[in-house]
């Protein structure tokens, strides 16, 4: 099954480089390019895509705002957004995760990691390891959000689901959670799926963000 990709970057050479890498793969196809967020929204109104590879710093409309609009308009399905950033734009990357991105990579990532990340995101998972996500949240949550707030969705979770959400937010994998709560890994996977459905979230990254935003987990805690 071919994964359809849209590349969004204001630098033509960057887009050309990404296209060259992606077009070399039999299961990936670049279906369009955009020069900024506004151009990406217009493009996505015309073409079907599974993954949007999104730059952060662009004129007219940046990648964070474009991500927010894409995920708002299509909360339950593709395209999913993979944000690319540089070392000095971590805050923008975290803001993009809050906006609904399924993960982020640095722009100097090796080609094989970019390809793997696109495939993972297309399958509905996150490319950001929970431990990395937590470090970002520890660093920026106090500055980027309005602070803990009550969310009525949390009340829908069972006691076990709430427990597992806390463990996900602490950076544990499904296998580690299974060992911690003494259940099968498949059971944990089922619980995580139910948690995402009840909270109306796309992936584990958004679950971690929500756990911090609602105060279930605090930076450094």
């Amino acid at each position: 099954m071919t994964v359809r990709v849209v590349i969004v970057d204001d630098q033509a050479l960057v887009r050309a480089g990404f296209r060259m890498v992606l077009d070399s793969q039999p299961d990936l196809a670049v279906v369009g390019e955009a020069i900024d967020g506004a151009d990406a929204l217009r493009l996505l109104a015309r073409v079907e895509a599974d993954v949007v590879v999104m730059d952060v710093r662009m004129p007219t409309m940046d990648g964070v705002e474009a991500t927010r609009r894409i995920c708002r308009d299509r909360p339950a399905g593709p395209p999913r957004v993979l944000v690319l950033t540089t070392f000095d734009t971590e805050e923008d990357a975290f803001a993009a995760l809050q906006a609904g991105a399924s993960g982020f990579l640095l722009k100097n990532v090796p080609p094989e990691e970019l390809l793997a990340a696109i495939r993972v995101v297309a399958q509905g998972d996150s490319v950001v390891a929970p431990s990395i996500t937590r470090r970002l949240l520890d660093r920026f949550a106090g500055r980027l959000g309005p602070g803990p707030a009550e969310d009525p969705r949390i009340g829908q979770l069972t006691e076990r689901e709430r427990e597992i959400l806390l463990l996900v937010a602490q950076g544990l994998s499904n296998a580690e959670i299974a060992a911690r709560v003494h259940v099968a890994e498949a059971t944990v996977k089922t619980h995580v799926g139910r948690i995402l459905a009840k909270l109306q979230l796309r992936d584990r990254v958004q679950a971690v963000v929500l756990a911090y935003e609602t105060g279930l987990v605090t930076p450094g805690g």
Side-chain angles (χ1 to χ4, degrees):
M1 186 174 180
T2 301
V3 176
R4 300 162 297 184
V5 183
V6 163
I7 301 170
V8 186
D9 197 292
D10 60 328
Q11 298 184 42
L13 285 177
V14 172
R15 296 197 307 273
F18 286 157
R19 177 182 279 275
M20 184 180 302
V21 171
L22 299 184
D23 282 345
S24 69
Q25 303 298 303
D27 61 328
L28 303 177
V30 177
V31 295
E33 299 179 16
I35 62 174
D36 57 40
D39 191 30
L41 295 178
R42 290 191 293 268
L43 175 62
L44 291 170
R46 305 192 309 269
V47 304
E48 293 293 329
D50 301 301
V51 177
V52 177
V53 178
M54 181 78 72
D55 187 21
V56 174
R57 297 285 180 89
M58 296 178 291
T60 308
M61 181 186 295
D62 65 23
V64 173
E65 179 60 25
T67 297
R68 183 177 296 108
R69 296 193 187 190
I70 290 169
C71 296
R72 178 195 64 195
D73 294 343
R74 305 184 187 186
R80 296 179 181 274
V81 180
L82 172 61
V83 171
L84 297 183
T85 182
T86 55
F87 282 109
D88 61 349
T89 58
E90 290 165 308
E91 290 181 316
D92 293 326
F94 178 73
L97 292 178
Q98 288 184 308
S102 293
F104 73 91
L105 294 174
L106 298 174
K107 274 194 172 182
N108 63 353
V109 67
E112 59 272 17
E113 290 188 27
L114 172 63
L115 296 172
I118 290 172
R119 294 183 178 110
V120 168
V121 168
Q123 294 171 0
D125 292 324
S126 165
V127 298
V128 185
S131 59
I132 297 175
T133 304
R134 188 181 182 197
R135 286 201 296 272
L136 281 170
L137 288 166
D138 284 351
R139 182 173 178 183
F140 297 121
R143 286 191 284 156
L144 294 182
E150 292 295 329
D151 190 308
R153 292 174 294 174
I154 298 296
Q156 302 176 39
L157 301 180
T158 65
E159 184 176 346
R160 174 64 87 181
E161 289 167 348
R162 188 184 181 98
E163 178 185 14
I164 289 177
L165 173 60
L166 289 172
L167 295 174
V168 168
Q170 291 168 18
L172 275 66
S173 67
N174 285 354
E176 292 168 332
I177 294 172
R180 179 77 63 89
V181 301
H182 308 293
V183 300
E185 186 175 347
T187 301
V188 174
K189 185 175 181 179
T190 298
H191 280 307
V192 171
R194 290 174 179 168
I195 291 168
L196 296 180
K198 287 184 178 181
L199 299 180
Q200 302 172 33
L201 302 174
R202 294 163 66 104
D203 51 42
R204 292 171 74 104
V205 170
Q206 291 193 17
V208 175
V209 171
L210 181 67
Y212 276 77
E213 288 180 333
T214 58
L216 290 176
V217 178
T218 57

